[in-house]
Amino acid sequence: GENGLEIESRNGNFKAEIGGRLQVDAQANFNDESGPLNTHLYNGTSIRRARIHVGGTLYKDFNYKFEYDFTRAGNRPTATGITDAWLQYAHFKPFSITMGQFKEPFSLASVTSNRFITFIERPLLNNAFVEFPNPYKLGISAESYGTRWTVRTAFQTENSGRNTSISDTSYEAVGRTTFLPIYNGPTQILHLGASGAYTWVNNTFDSAAGELKNSPLIFASQPYTNVDRTPWVTTGPLTTKLGPDHKRLDRVGRFGAELAGVYGPFSFQSEYTRVNLSGIGYSGDDVLDGYYAFISYFLTGESRVYENKRGAFGRLKPKRNFDLGNGWGAWEVAVRWDQLDMNTDNVNGGNIQTATIALNWYVNPHVRFMANYGYVVDINTRAANPAIAKFNGLNPSILEFRAQIDW
Amino acid sequence: GENGLEIESRNGNFKAEIGGRLQVDAQANFNDESGPLNTHLYNGTSIRRARIHVGGTLYKDFNYKFEYDFTRAGNRPTATGITDAWLQYAHFKPFSITMGQFKEPFSLASVTSNRFITFIERPLLNNAFVEFPNPYKLGISAESYGTRWTVRTAFQTENSGRNTSISDTSYEAVGRTTFLPIYNGPTQILHLGASGAYTWVNNTFDSAAGELKNSPLIFASQPYTNVDRTPWVTTGPLTTKLGPDHKRLDRVGRFGAELAGVYGPFSFQSEYTRVNLSGIGYSGDDVLDGYYAFISYFLTGESRVYENKRGAFGRLKPKRNFDLGNGWGAWEVAVRWDQLDMNTDNVNGGNIQTATIALNWYVNPHVRFMANYGYVVDINTRAANPAIAKFNGLNPSILEFRAQIDW
Amino acid sequence: GENGLEIESRNGNFKAEIGGRLQVDAQANFNDESGPLNTHLYNGTSIRRARIHVGGTLYKDFNYKFEYDFTRAGNRPTATGITDAWLQYAHFKPFSITMGQFKEPFSLASVTSNRFITFIERPLLNNAFVEFPNPYKLGISAESYGTRWTVRTAFQTENSGRNTSISDTSYEAVGRTTFLPIYNGPTQILHLGASGAYTWVNNTFDSAAGELKNSPLIFASQPYTNVDRTPWVTTGPLTTKLGPDHKRLDRVGRFGAELAGVYGPFSFQSEYTRVNLSGIGYSGDDVLDGYYAFISYFLTGESRVYENKRGAFGRLKPKRNFDLGNGWGAWEVAVRWDQLDMNTDNVNGGNIQTATIALNWYVNPHVRFMANYGYVVDINTRAANPAIAKFNGLNPSILEFRAQIDW
């Protein structure tokens, strides 16, 4: 059926299913190459995500999910493309407890599946503060929901993978809650949300060499694009070699606020996130932050779909699937403004503003084509070092396409 | 059932299936080690291919397929074992449009699935001109077929993978068409085919170091074998470091012609492929080429199976499956001659002739055992450099076995 | 149903199924850091195993299985996480022949699936002599069983993987047989077993550099733990660089004896394994050995499950699954003593004794939580080199947890 390979026992106590997603991207760049160094963004194509998952229910109360992203194999020192790998006890539905590897509950745009986001890439603040440092972490969470609210809290550690234990792991307490002050059915919704995370960063030094043995934390973002993954703004390593200018990031606090709404074919969504850094070489003024806001409109009359159980947006079903002569699917236009500021007293991460317009064609609930045109309004990295500041003053624009299918 | 895990909705508009293939090889070498350097081919065993695929149909008109080869994980800088990753719009059957990653439509032996090829390894010209430079590329194609013909044309780019964008991608226009001048049912067939491809090669230099940043194109081939993957003939990098003897490959044209036939238990197959190189340091005389021809005979009376929809050979069903006392499966003998010439004015890639005999046992449609004995008749690399020319004059012979199952 | 995604044709001649396992570990260490060097064991979490398998039967007599461990991707030079990849001919059941990659048949604790072992990690002798040198090898085996006995013999080679043939492969003859002198139904069992393996080690040197081209054989073990995978005892490379103190391991003989029993809720299990080294620089006195013994008791009255077909322990089914108010699952306590001696005339691998206690909660047949507390009673590496002997005299204790689900 529509739900792919899925099997269920007669009493519903056992279920098993296999699914996947495929996102193929193409990117063309209209670069402003007046910079002193190599500031060319590369044109090309890329498989953005190719994921297979298996999931199911055992003995009614136990759920599990395993998902692998085949585009990430061998990509990191931990050499893992595992995204979800958890088991869940859900006897007291809707309350449940989840153990294993799962995405940290932080920010509306990150909790919304990448299959359902409105633009090809998530907002800059999500890239920088959630996605880039790898949001899939091992730990335990408790979660529940009602018609108008959700809450999920977790204690998570870095995924240390196999054979890679060269230090104790960092760990964090993280949570997100959402509430709907207005909920007049699926087409009139006002959503409020808040996320908080506090991370105890582990820094293990090789005392002889003065080098950090584990990977330092970095916050960074590309300007929307994925085919060329050069980060245009980046804090660089926030813990540095032992020595005269040594900095050591010990604690990171993150806070996010969400506001979103649906009114018939119109919807809007915005978030603000701030990040407090503390440790050796950092002061109370070292705060990174960003916000975004976008509006979307369905030319074909659909409404963005809100999943009350997750407090996030979900799968759109066109009023009429694309079928020659019988229907044209759903068509959506959207425009987004992004701002990210990673310049502080002690961090020259860069300040960037971008604008993006989107045209989405939902052929049917499982096939989608997307086109984005993005423009970098301003970049300002205050560092004197040209290698860090080379994109300063450039205004590239980028055209991206995506073909997506999930099953 | 025989087709493994496969589910179909009652109206046939939705389908999903999972399948795979497994090829386990062993190789013993009878080497001629008179060469001045290390010319020993290694004996051993290897998993040649271990692939899982998922595929299906959504809303009747949309097909998809994802396949991963687990033996290739981490094998290349792009760290990807993805072979197929595409979605297809097939409303106007038999015409369809395919987007994503798929194998370039070029050459009968490459379009024939490796599950159904007559010898353990494809002919030398396929290894050198199609398989070695990675035939799985991202792009878009249009294809159609009739009972007696097929055509497929594509525009494809290199798969730039994730995090690997260090240059613009190369791209190519490629196509293949086939025709059956004789088609008296499945046991009397004459097949003609032609392929053409034109590649715009991207060369991105680090101007300071003079080094190429992306991987240079290379054409190379082993002498049939896969357990020891040393290429005996190789052009080496066709774009070299900036400097006095700098060569830069800008364009590659490939053309291939196919002739094949089935007459009861007999069949023959042959191809000729030529490759034109152009760019800095190349002239119109820099043409690489090769051909092969083989004949096959089924001792048990079956005919090689031709797939009219693909213009290539397909799965053999033995008249009687192997079942002790009731049937012995299908037995096939075959002999192939291979010639590959990669010596030109400006390329010392080597000239090689080989002969191979094969004995195949089709236990049933999904299990096959193969034995090949190959002999290198001649190798001639004109370079004075002994590291390049070390195999010159050697005549190794190689015994290979394969056990194969697919489901 | 309980068995996940499984499909069978009406006559039972075709079957296909997909399953998997997930093991998530956490580790806290109570270290004795009095050593002169870095002897800190790291705290943290890890996905121990994340495996998916597909398997089935074709044409009644042919079975196949493919399994991939996603935590091992990119982990080794051979870059492979493939565990099982075989096809089997089982016409003469219970006799069968298996070809492809499978685990060597050696030792009760290694043949028992890691889903069903009593402690979080296998005994030290299994880690050192079977698991660490990679037990998944390519080859062919013959096996059979009766109610009271099993036998499996194999000829296997190293898995040389793709593109990694830099030498001929090593190969081995290996076998295991088991017998039940007492078998009064599933709750009264006495098990005897013996394993033998003889390995012809391949050493291929780069004669110019004097370096070994392929990976040298090493026997090593951590003290139970997996999150931090530092081997506390290790022989180091048993073949060394050409030169004055050159050693070359040519042959390895391994022999193991097993004794185990079940008596209602009680069970015990013990093994002794010895390893004879021979080659340049080794004498008849170079024998590594180890033993372990453990007892287990089910507080809830179950008996450990013996699989007569495999001669090993299998899946426990609690008398009552955990279901609030209706049942508490099965609870097991166990204690193990481990001894491993890798000190010989020519090898300073270390001598180690450890004690471990375990508490296991079987929630249902497919979900299990485990807690282990381990204590290193003694370590003695005789080498003067502090980098090798740095753990000498330390007595760390380790607390480990595992959450496991398989389907």
PDB file of all heavy atoms in Angstrom, chain B residues 247-260:
ATOM      1  N   LYS B 247      49.929  18.036 -19.083  1.00  0.00           N
ATOM      2  CA  LYS B 247      48.854  17.612 -19.994  1.00  0.00           C
ATOM      3  C   LYS B 247      47.520  17.873 -19.313  1.00  0.00           C
ATOM      4  O   LYS B 247      47.394  17.683 -18.100  1.00  0.00           O
ATOM      5  CB  LYS B 247      48.982  16.128 -20.319  1.00  0.00           C
ATOM      6  CG  LYS B 247      50.100  15.859 -21.306  1.00  0.00           C
ATOM      7  CD  LYS B 247      49.925  14.513 -21.976  1.00  0.00           C
ATOM      8  CE  LYS B 247      50.757  13.481 -21.261  1.00  0.00           C
ATOM      9  NZ  LYS B 247      50.794  12.197 -21.998  1.00  0.00           N
ATOM     10  N   ARG B 248      46.547  18.289 -20.078  1.00  0.00           N
ATOM     11  CA  ARG B 248      45.229  18.548 -19.498  1.00  0.00           C
ATOM     12  C   ARG B 248      44.169  17.956 -20.416  1.00  0.00           C
ATOM     13  O   ARG B 248      43.973  18.417 -21.541  1.00  0.00           O
ATOM     14  CB  ARG B 248      44.998  20.048 -19.339  1.00  0.00           C
ATOM     15  CG  ARG B 248      43.826  20.369 -18.417  1.00  0.00           C
ATOM     16  CD  ARG B 248      43.575  21.852 -18.338  1.00  0.00           C
ATOM     17  NE  ARG B 248      42.934  22.328 -19.546  1.00  0.00           N
ATOM     18  CZ  ARG B 248      42.804  23.616 -19.885  1.00  0.00           C
ATOM     19  NH1 ARG B 248      43.318  24.557 -19.091  1.00  0.00           N
ATOM     20  NH2 ARG B 248      42.206  23.971 -20.994  1.00  0.00           N
ATOM     21  N   LEU B 249      43.473  16.937 -19.911  1.00  0.00           N
ATOM     22  CA  LEU B 249      42.407  16.303 -20.680  1.00  0.00           C
ATOM     23  C   LEU B 249      41.144  17.145 -20.534  1.00  0.00           C
ATOM     24  O   LEU B 249      40.620  17.301 -19.436  1.00  0.00           O
ATOM     25  CB  LEU B 249      42.164  14.891 -20.148  1.00  0.00           C
ATOM     26  CG  LEU B 249      41.112  14.079 -20.896  1.00  0.00           C
ATOM     27  CD1 LEU B 249      41.597  13.716 -22.285  1.00  0.00           C
ATOM     28  CD2 LEU B 249      40.771  12.830 -20.106  1.00  0.00           C
ATOM     29  N   ASP B 250      40.642  17.684 -21.651  1.00  0.00           N
ATOM     30  CA  ASP B 250      39.462  18.565 -21.593  1.00  0.00           C
ATOM     31  C   ASP B 250      38.187  17.894 -22.067  1.00  0.00           C
ATOM     32  O   ASP B 250      37.104  18.190 -21.559  1.00  0.00           O
ATOM     33  CB  ASP B 250      39.716  19.817 -22.438  1.00  0.00           C
ATOM     34  CG  ASP B 250      40.730  20.737 -21.796  1.00  0.00           C
ATOM     35  OD1 ASP B 250      40.770  20.793 -20.555  1.00  0.00           O
ATOM     36  OD2 ASP B 250      41.494  21.387 -22.534  1.00  0.00           O
ATOM     37  N   ARG B 251      38.306  17.051 -23.070  1.00  0.00           N
ATOM     38  CA  ARG B 251      37.122  16.436 -23.658  1.00  0.00           C
ATOM     39  C   ARG B 251      37.411  14.970 -23.938  1.00  0.00           C
ATOM     40  O   ARG B 251      38.517  14.626 -24.365  1.00  0.00           O
ATOM     41  CB  ARG B 251      36.788  17.093 -25.015  1.00  0.00           C
ATOM     42  CG  ARG B 251      36.573  18.588 -24.979  1.00  0.00           C
ATOM     43  CD  ARG B 251      35.164  18.928 -24.524  1.00  0.00           C
ATOM     44  NE  ARG B 251      34.955  20.368 -24.592  1.00  0.00           N
ATOM     45  CZ  ARG B 251      35.293  21.221 -23.621  1.00  0.00           C
ATOM     46  NH1 ARG B 251      35.872  20.786 -22.515  1.00  0.00           N
ATOM     47  NH2 ARG B 251      35.060  22.505 -23.759  1.00  0.00           N
ATOM     48  N   VAL B 252      36.421  14.119 -23.724  1.00  0.00           N
ATOM     49  CA  VAL B 252      36.541  12.710 -24.075  1.00  0.00           C
ATOM     50  C   VAL B 252      35.323  12.319 -24.889  1.00  0.00           C
ATOM     51  O   VAL B 252      34.184  12.520 -24.452  1.00  0.00           O
ATOM     52  CB  VAL B 252      36.620  11.824 -22.810  1.00  0.00           C
ATOM     53  CG1 VAL B 252      36.715  10.350 -23.191  1.00  0.00           C
ATOM     54  CG2 VAL B 252      37.787  12.225 -21.941  1.00  0.00           C
ATOM     55  N   GLY B 253      35.553  11.780 -26.072  1.00  0.00           N
ATOM     56  CA  GLY B 253      34.461  11.223 -26.860  1.00  0.00           C
ATOM     57  C   GLY B 253      34.584   9.710 -26.864  1.00  0.00           C
ATOM     58  O   GLY B 253      35.678   9.169 -27.028  1.00  0.00           O
ATOM     59  N   ARG B 254      33.479   9.039 -26.616  1.00  0.00           N
ATOM     60  CA  ARG B 254      33.498   7.573 -26.652  1.00  0.00           C
ATOM     61  C   ARG B 254      32.435   7.096 -27.624  1.00  0.00           C
ATOM     62  O   ARG B 254      31.335   7.652 -27.670  1.00  0.00           O
ATOM     63  CB  ARG B 254      33.213   6.994 -25.246  1.00  0.00           C
ATOM     64  CG  ARG B 254      34.326   7.191 -24.265  1.00  0.00           C
ATOM     65  CD  ARG B 254      33.943   6.639 -22.892  1.00  0.00           C
ATOM     66  NE  ARG B 254      32.879   7.416 -22.295  1.00  0.00           N
ATOM     67  CZ  ARG B 254      32.113   7.019 -21.277  1.00  0.00           C
ATOM     68  NH1 ARG B 254      32.298   5.808 -20.753  1.00  0.00           N
ATOM     69  NH2 ARG B 254      31.176   7.801 -20.788  1.00  0.00           N
ATOM     70  N   PHE B 255      32.765   6.083 -28.390  1.00  0.00           N
ATOM     71  CA  PHE B 255      31.798   5.505 -29.314  1.00  0.00           C
ATOM     72  C   PHE B 255      31.906   3.990 -29.242  1.00  0.00           C
ATOM     73  O   PHE B 255      33.000   3.446 -29.192  1.00  0.00           O
ATOM     74  CB  PHE B 255      32.058   5.995 -30.745  1.00  0.00           C
ATOM     75  CG  PHE B 255      31.187   5.294 -31.738  1.00  0.00           C
ATOM     76  CD1 PHE B 255      29.844   5.615 -31.869  1.00  0.00           C
ATOM     77  CD2 PHE B 255      31.710   4.253 -32.513  1.00  0.00           C
ATOM     78  CE1 PHE B 255      29.032   4.932 -32.761  1.00  0.00           C
ATOM     79  CE2 PHE B 255      30.896   3.575 -33.413  1.00  0.00           C
ATOM     80  CZ  PHE B 255      29.557   3.916 -33.542  1.00  0.00           C
ATOM     81  N   GLY B 256      30.769   3.304 -29.242  1.00  0.00           N
ATOM     82  CA  GLY B 256      30.790   1.849 -29.189  1.00  0.00           C
ATOM     83  C   GLY B 256      29.794   1.238 -30.145  1.00  0.00           C
ATOM     84  O   GLY B 256      28.709   1.779 -30.356  1.00  0.00           O
ATOM     85  N   ALA B 257      30.179   0.103 -30.756  1.00  0.00           N
ATOM     86  CA  ALA B 257      29.293  -0.645 -31.647  1.00  0.00           C
ATOM     87  C   ALA B 257      29.141  -2.065 -31.110  1.00  0.00           C
ATOM     88  O   ALA B 257      30.101  -2.636 -30.586  1.00  0.00           O
ATOM     89  CB  ALA B 257      29.878  -0.681 -33.055  1.00  0.00           C
ATOM     90  N   GLU B 258      27.930  -2.613 -31.238  1.00  0.00           N
ATOM     91  CA  GLU B 258      27.621  -3.931 -30.678  1.00  0.00           C
ATOM     92  C   GLU B 258      27.013  -4.841 -31.742  1.00  0.00           C
ATOM     93  O   GLU B 258      26.188  -4.400 -32.526  1.00  0.00           O
ATOM     94  CB  GLU B 258      26.574  -3.808 -29.554  1.00  0.00           C
ATOM     95  CG  GLU B 258      26.847  -2.753 -28.531  1.00  0.00           C
ATOM     96  CD  GLU B 258      25.609  -2.396 -27.708  1.00  0.00           C
ATOM     97  OE1 GLU B 258      24.556  -3.054 -27.876  1.00  0.00           O
ATOM     98  OE2 GLU B 258      25.694  -1.445 -26.916  1.00  0.00           O
ATOM     99  N   LEU B 259      27.397  -6.101 -31.705  1.00  0.00           N
ATOM    100  CA  LEU B 259      26.792  -7.114 -32.557  1.00  0.00           C
ATOM    101  C   LEU B 259      26.652  -8.377 -31.714  1.00  0.00           C
ATOM    102  O   LEU B 259      27.632  -8.827 -31.101  1.00  0.00           O
ATOM    103  CB  LEU B 259      27.688  -7.377 -33.777  1.00  0.00           C
ATOM    104  CG  LEU B 259      27.224  -8.463 -34.744  1.00  0.00           C
ATOM    105  CD1 LEU B 259      25.943  -8.052 -35.469  1.00  0.00           C
ATOM    106  CD2 LEU B 259      28.330  -8.755 -35.764  1.00  0.00           C
ATOM    107  N   ALA B 260      25.445  -8.926 -31.656  1.00  0.00           N
ATOM    108  CA  ALA B 260      25.250 -10.141 -30.867  1.00  0.00           C
ATOM    109  C   ALA B 260      24.131 -10.952 -31.479  1.00  0.00           C
ATOM    110  O   ALA B 260      23.294 -10.428 -32.223  1.00  0.00           O
ATOM    111  CB  ALA B 260      24.912  -9.802 -29.416  1.00  0.00           C
TER     112      ALA B 260
END
